[in-house]
Amino acid sequence: MNAVQRLFGFHGGVKPAYNKEASTGLPIAVAPTPTLLVIPLHQSIGGVPRPLVKAGDRVLKGQRIGGADGNVSSAVHASTSGSVVAVEMRLMPHTSGLSALCVVIEPDGCDEWIPRQPFDFRSATPTQTRDYLRDAGVVGLGGAVFPSYLKLNPGKTGKLDTLVLNGAECEPFITCDDLLMRERAETIIKGTLIMREMLSAGQVLIGIEDNKPEAIAAMEVAAQAANQAAGDSSIKVVSVPTRYPAGGAKQLMRVLTGIEVPHGKRSTDYGLQCFNVGTAYAIYEAIALGQPLISRIVTVAGNVERARNYEVLLGTPMRDLVALCGPRADSDRVIMGGPMMGLRMPSDEVPVVKAANCVLVGSKQLFPPPPPEMPCIRCGECAKACPADLQPFEMYWFSRAKIFGKAQEYNLFDCIECGCCAYVCPSRIPLVDYYRFAKSEIWAREVEKEAADVARERYEFRLLREEREKQEKAAKLAAKTAAGREKAAAALAEVEKPAVTPEQDAKKALIAAAMERAREQKAQAHPENTINLTPEQQAEVEAIEARRAEIREMAKPHLRQDD
Amino acid sequence: MFEAILVMALGAIVLGAALGYAAVRFRVEGDPLVEKIDAILPQTQCGQCGFPGCKPYAQAIAKGEADINCCPPGGDEGIHKLADLLGREFKSLSAEHGIEKPKSVAVIDEQRCIGCTLCIQACPVDAIVGAAKQMHTIVADQCTGCELCLPPCPVDCISMQPIGESVETWKWKYPVFKIAPAQREAA
């Protein structure tokens, strides 16, 4: 058997009530296809994908409906076959309660797939494989939804020491990874082998919290089989102590390898990369089966009669999913994610997206409203609990006082928003809310500053351009005048001998040339209505001219008087 | 006595030479204060302050010719920052220069545009694309919302549209909690 893996610890952490038993009793069920699928185009970190379909189009299951836009972006696909009802703004599964562009699909019930072909990643270049995974919409399914193709890059050295697979699932209530590992361990290992090959990684460490013995056993069996097939023991399933947030990428890497990735560095610089088990499963489906990411396992738990895990088509309204589990009458909210890091949804109509690992139904009884916030007493409990080794109280003071520069100096952006500090705070300060506020303010300022820099640059360029155009115009005019003068002088010189100074001569010649031109123009200009006249018209014209002459004669004495 | 004067004079000459050399050698190009003020100004280039752009206004502030409360797009926050930088008292925005408005972009009604190019000439950041007798359009990403294209338009086909909040630009609000009276148990 395996030698005992040496484990390391991470700083801080808490032990909240896990509440996982309720949803692990039943196997994963396939959620029924809803009557209407609302698929948001923006489901990952990075650029908003461009819509590739329009209302009225028929789409097949797995057809790309949103194309990745920019360097960091990931495609989205139709979850089933049907017709596109609309591409319009719909309420997003986001705390803001704002809407964004979604593709609304009415399923036709056929569930007809696009032609599916395995992708031969061994004969493709790494870039081709990454582009394929980008277009297959594979993103990190642990909750951060970072496009996976960007992480499947071994970095400068071209190989990694360790691929870490994250099955810790430390957040209370959530059991989607647990059930996935219990039921589909073999597929996860197959996906892991693909990732390992892409990253040229030496060993694979699969970290699972020790409160999931069934998942550990299932993964052990699958890992042993893979090890035997390869004739080595490079895939190890490691049971890690249950402590929130052991499932944080940096925390799990530290527990398994003892390596702490410092501020501003990437884990690949230290020969490490970390993926969620669900992501490994999605990568296998995309590469070996040719199926893009169109569904995910979602835990429905909390204030429901029958908590369970479902395999849900992306775009299914959370309300439909919750209805399957029998929500209790006093339910008043839906949370996407767990109780520690989850986000309260503006409504239960919002669709399930790639980030939704859990739909947690809440009530006033289950999650009582937070007691009033008291002043910070500087006890330091938050710093003891912080798994990122930060000083939460310092960040809190500066965020509260809106001194964002100082908050950043205390490495606000290394905060993973796990909520341990707020959990232990005796003054019940919602610390994470302050950090989120400060982070979004800093981001907004950064964007504003960039826009101002661009505007300044463009304005300065415009001034420069105007100045340059003015000079060019002046130079052109000067050249033209000089050329004209020379020409005229030359013409004059041919006609007569120069008797005066050349300058006067040029001037004279200019005047003469101008007068000549005027004469020519005058000679050429005929009033067009006086040519080709009939004799009668001619006679009429003459009569009118005579009358005019007469009138002029008559007017003369008056004009003189006026003078 | 004479020696003391000599020593002092010598010291003065040496230090004077050193300072003179440093003044030439480490000369600061441009006015760093102007740069700092310019970095605070919003770069809208709207001219509402009475100067033809943000940089000239920054220069005027640095020289003491203009007050710090003449920039409506910068708003109260901008004035606060300028006051901090220059060590002056905060003043509320001067009413004669305009009011702070929500950030907007100009939008051309393409049906009504006659292609006169007057707005293109007015735009301080070259954010309008078009040619004579061709339809014009505004590059929204580069529009600063200065409104300088509005007056020259002979057919009034340009309007300002406030930039709404989207999921991408939404900001977490400052955590404020409602204070509710405690519920007393009935005795």
Side-chain angles (χ1 to χ4, degrees), chain A residues 154-481:
Chain A
K156 290 165 214 147
T157 51
K159 64 181 176 60
L160 292 183
D161 298 332
T162 309
L163 169 63
V164 173
L165 209 60
N166 188 345
E169 198 165 55
C170 56
E171 176 115 14
F173 287 101
I174 307 177
T175 57
C176 60
D177 291 347
D178 185 1
L179 268 281
L180 186 75
M181 288 188 288
R182 287 189 202 186
E183 297 184 12
R184 305 179 191 177
E186 213 175 304
T187 319
I188 295 172
I189 295 290
K190 281 181 191 162
T192 310
L193 293 176
I194 295 172
M195 290 196 289
R196 177 187 177 172
E197 212 169 315
M198 286 182 73
L199 291 167
S200 316
Q203 62 168 348
V204 178
L205 295 178
I206 304 172
I208 306 172
E209 274 191 350
D210 56 15
N211 61 355
K212 302 177 201 35
E214 294 94 335
I216 294 173
M219 291 297 281
E220 282 273 8
V221 172
Q224 285 297 330
N227 281 341
Q228 264 168 16
D232 60 10
S233 60
S234 56
I235 303 179
K236 285 188 198 121
V237 177
V238 186
S239 157
V240 300
T242 299
R243 189 155 55 115
Y244 180 85
K250 280 192 176 178
Q251 283 69 33
L252 187 65
M253 286 192 273
R254 190 165 167 186
V255 168
L256 292 176
T257 64
I259 295 171
E260 187 181 356
V261 180
H263 169 80
K265 288 278 168 68
R266 287 161 197 265
S267 61
T268 47
D269 299 343
Y270 297 86
L272 289 173
Q273 189 60 288
C274 181
F275 288 92
N276 178 263
V277 286
T279 315
Y281 183 80
I283 283 177
Y284 174 79
E285 286 210 317
I287 288 194
L289 306 179
Q291 295 181 2
L293 184 62
I294 54 158
S295 66
R296 67 156 298 145
I297 314 291
V298 182
T299 307
V300 187
N303 201 36
V304 289
E305 296 293 346
R306 300 172 298 277
R308 190 172 187 174
N309 282 282
Y310 286 94
E311 184 160 10
V312 187
L313 295 179
L314 299 174
T316 305
M318 287 185 184
R319 178 187 287 168
D320 292 16
L321 200 57
V322 171
L324 294 173
C325 301
R328 297 197 181 107
D330 62 338
S331 304
D332 65 346
R333 76 196 79 169
V334 170
I335 296 162
M336 184 171 87
M340 298 293 283
M341 293 183 72
L343 302 169
R344 189 170 174 173
M345 294 292 104
S347 148
D348 60 359
E349 281 168 40
V350 296
V352 167
V353 288
K354 293 174 184 177
N357 48 6
C358 177
V359 174
L360 189 59
V361 182
S363 68
K364 282 210 172 67
Q365 211 194 338
L366 187 61
F367 303 120
E373 177 183 341
M374 307 286 279
C376 172
I377 55 168
R378 312 190 178 201
C379 61
E381 282 301 315
C382 49
K384 280 186 208 157
C386 181
D389 292 284
L390 299 172
Q391 294 180 7
F393 51 90
E394 298 274 7
M395 297 187 328
Y396 157 68
W397 293 329
F398 289 121
S399 301
R400 192 189 166 104
K402 300 183 187 173
I403 307 171
F404 300 122
K406 273 284 190 188
Q408 243 176 310
E409 277 175 33
Y410 280 92
N411 297 324
L412 176 66
F413 282 95
D414 283 349
C415 165
I416 58 170
E417 300 177 20
C418 64
C420 288
C421 49
Y423 183 84
V424 299
C425 180
S427 292
R428 292 153 321 214
I429 301 169
L431 291 158
V432 181
D433 288 0
Y434 283 97
Y435 306 148
R436 284 174 172 159
F437 158 73
K439 282 184 187 179
S440 61
E441 280 295 326
I442 292 167
W443 276 323
R445 267 155 215 232
E446 212 108 292
V447 169
E448 240 167 57
K449 199 181 161 292
E450 265 168 40
D453 286 345
V454 170
R456 182 186 297 120
E457 207 174 284
R458 291 182 70 84
Y459 176 65
E460 274 164 12
F461 179 75
R462 180 186 159 88
L463 292 184
L464 198 81
R465 198 198 69 209
E466 276 176 345
E467 188 57 34
R468 194 190 63 207
E469 274 172 5
K470 215 189 267 171
Q471 278 174 4
E472 276 174 4
K473 228 176 192 174
K476 225 184 223 170
L477 195 71
K480 210 172 162 188
T481 333

Side-chain angles (χ1 to χ4, degrees), chain A residues 42 46 48 92 94-100 343 370 373 399-402 417 430 433-434 436-438 440-441 444-445 448-449 451-456 458-463 465-466, chain B residues 35 37-45 52-56 77 81 103 119-128 139 141-142 144 165-177:
Chain A
H42 199 198
V48 183
M92 285 288 278
H94 191 262
T95 324
S96 64
L98 291 170
S99 299
L343 302 169
E373 177 183 341
S399 301
R400 192 189 166 104
K402 300 183 187 173
E417 300 177 20
D433 288 0
Y434 283 97
R436 284 174 172 159
F437 158 73
S440 61
E441 280 295 326
R445 267 155 215 232
E448 240 167 57
K449 199 181 161 292
D453 286 345
V454 170
R456 182 186 297 120
R458 291 182 70 84
Y459 176 65
E460 274 164 12
F461 179 75
R462 180 186 159 88
L463 292 184
R465 198 198 69 209
E466 276 176 345
Chain B
E35 297 296 322
I37 297 171
D38 197 37
I40 291 172
L41 296 175
Q43 304 304 320
T44 320
Q45 317 294 356
C54 295
K55 191 82 171 261
E77 201 187 325
K81 281 188 190 162
K103 198 165 163 22
C119 58
I120 296 181
Q121 292 160 39
C123 180
V125 289
D126 288 337
I128 307 180
V139 184
D141 283 353
Q142 278 150 7
T144 63
E165 217 174 23
S166 73
V167 173
E168 285 77 40
T169 59
W170 179 80
K171 291 192 279 188
W172 283 86
K173 303 292 171 283
Y174 190 63
V176 179
F177 293 92

